[in-house]
Amino acid sequence: MRSPCTLTRRGFLTATAALTAGAAFGVRAAPPWPAGKTITWVVPYPAGGSTDVLGRAIAQQLDTLLATRVIVDNRPGATGTIGAARVARAEPDGLTLLGTSIGPQAIAPHIMGNLTYDPVADFAPVILVGTIPHLLVVGTAQPFKTVADLVAAGKKAPESLAYASGGTGTILHIQGELLQQKTGARFLHVPYKGDTPALQDTLAGQVQFAFIPAAAALPHVQTGALRALAATSAQRLPALPDVPTMKEAAFDDFVVEQWQAVFAPVATPAPVIDRLNASIGQALQTPALQELSRQLGITLAGGTPQALDQTRKADFDKWGKVIREAGIKPA
């Protein structure tokens, strides 16, 4: 096979004529993808998690869509900020991408000092992959039937009720802080090393409640081991049509969806961003990604880079305010 960099004299003249004709009529040819060059998809978390599994599935589709090899590089640590820093330092050529979540881009920067990157200024948004809603759940042995019941108890006896999270500064933690700030109730935060042990102790009644990703909580709600008081999504979840949203439970501005998204280093050329956006958007439409999203509890999104830019900036400001008011510090 002829190298993509090899061009015969006849081919050169043909290509030149085509480009000249296009320019004469104001037609801008689509930029060629750098065929044969490997794309590195950086995941700032360990292998096996939702972000990793989703990233690998998209990478597999891009192998075909871009006719270019895509490898996944796990760079876990420091709440996802090590992997993010790796991409921030990369060449802006479209060959290094960050498949990440809300944490390293909108939450951790407000808590961790001495970051080597700016979560907004150092990244070019590519595409919003999807969102993960959460459920506010209690064990079925708990007496609370509504969010109002829980809040009333948290006001009557401050810090008598404990809630679990996957760790200090995680989205599960700061949702609890947001609930306190909006209601005046006071709860005791109990951080765990991950969402799974937080869920297990909520099931066991060691803590009274927790905000848990819908996919992880759903089986336990369906078996009756957990009671869902509300969903943090904008709309009711199809799997739980009888569970109200936080807004329906009289708590406005409590839409919390943990997003997954793709970023490139800042200054990556717009045509490259557009090509990546289109290809990843196409990958999200495949049956394989549709089925995987169902298993992971992710609502696939897609959309323009500009839409992702608005989402990340809004969440960066929103959670920064919550964190400052709560005085959250690293554990």
Side-chain angles (χ1 to χ4, degrees):
M1 178 180 294
R2 180 179 293 154
S3 166
C5 295
T6 302
L7 194 63
T8 64
R9 184 176 184 275
R10 180 179 179 182
F12 174 79
L13 293 173
T14 301
T16 301
L19 288 172
T20 302
F25 289 97
V27 176
R28 185 175 63 182
W33 188 257
K37 294 187 177 181
T38 299
I39 295 175
T40 300
W41 184 290
V42 177
V43 174
Y45 301 109
S50 296
T51 305
D52 174 71
V53 172
L54 189 62
R56 290 178 186 277
I58 296 173
Q60 186 176 20
Q61 297 295 326
L62 291 183
D63 281 347
T64 301
L65 293 169
L66 293 175
T68 301
R69 187 179 178 216
V70 183
I71 62 171
V72 174
D73 180 15
N74 294 91
R75 296 290 184 100
T79 320
T81 60
I82 291 177
R86 154 84 169 86
V87 176
R89 295 191 299 267
E91 288 295 320
D93 53 11
L95 298 179
T96 306
L97 304 176
L98 177 66
T100 189
S101 70
I102 189 174
Q105 302 307 111
I107 297 174
H110 298 289
I111 299 174
M112 303 180 65
N114 301 317
L115 282 184
T116 59
Y117 67 91
D118 185 303
V120 174
D122 289 343
F123 296 92
V126 177
I127 193 168
L128 179 64
V129 172
T131 57
I132 304 172
H134 297 93
L135 292 171
L136 172 51
V137 297
V138 299
T140 48
Q142 301 296 330
F144 316 110
K145 299 297 191 296
T146 66
V147 182
D149 293 341
L150 189 69
V151 168
K155 288 181 176 180
K156 183 177 181 181
E159 298 193 351
S160 63
L161 304 180
Y163 74 97
S165 83
T168 298
T170 61
I171 187 67
L172 305 186
H173 170 204
I174 59 176
Q175 284 178 94
E177 294 291 346
L178 180 61
L179 183 62
Q180 293 185 118
Q181 290 175 15
K182 285 188 169 296
T183 63
R186 299 302 302 170
F187 305 110
L188 178 65
H189 173 229
V190 181
Y192 290 80
K193 293 182 178 180
D195 294 357
T196 298
L199 173 59
Q200 290 171 341
D201 267 15
T202 305
L203 284 162
Q206 298 299 314
V207 294
Q208 281 67 50
F209 72 100
F211 288 92
I212 299 293
L218 183 59
H220 304 289
V221 174
Q222 292 174 328
T223 61
L226 288 176
R227 180 184 304 120
L229 303 185
T232 66
S233 49
Q235 307 293 331
R236 293 195 182 199
L237 302 181
L240 296 172
D242 296 329
V243 176
T245 65
M246 288 294 287
K247 183 174 182 178
E248 291 174 326
F251 296 94
D252 291 336
D253 193 26
F254 209 109
V255 175
V256 180
E257 294 183 316
Q258 179 179 344
W259 43 260
Q260 299 277 338
V262 182
F263 296 89
V266 71
T268 299
V272 174
I273 294 292
D274 291 342
R275 182 74 181 275
L276 289 168
N277 176 275
S279 297
I280 296 172
Q282 189 175 347
L284 298 181
Q285 300 302 315
T286 61
L289 264 296
Q290 295 284 328
E291 173 59 21
L292 180 61
S293 70
R294 186 191 65 78
Q295 295 174 11
L296 296 176
I298 296 174
T299 301
L300 296 180
T304 65
Q306 292 75 22
L308 171 57
D309 193 35
Q310 292 174 1
T311 296
R312 67 160 175 177
K313 288 178 178 176
D315 276 354
F316 183 84
D317 293 342
K318 173 181 179 177
W319 295 120
K321 182 175 183 293
V322 172
I323 289 166
R324 288 190 298 273
E325 291 184 2
I328 299 173
K329 303 295 182 182

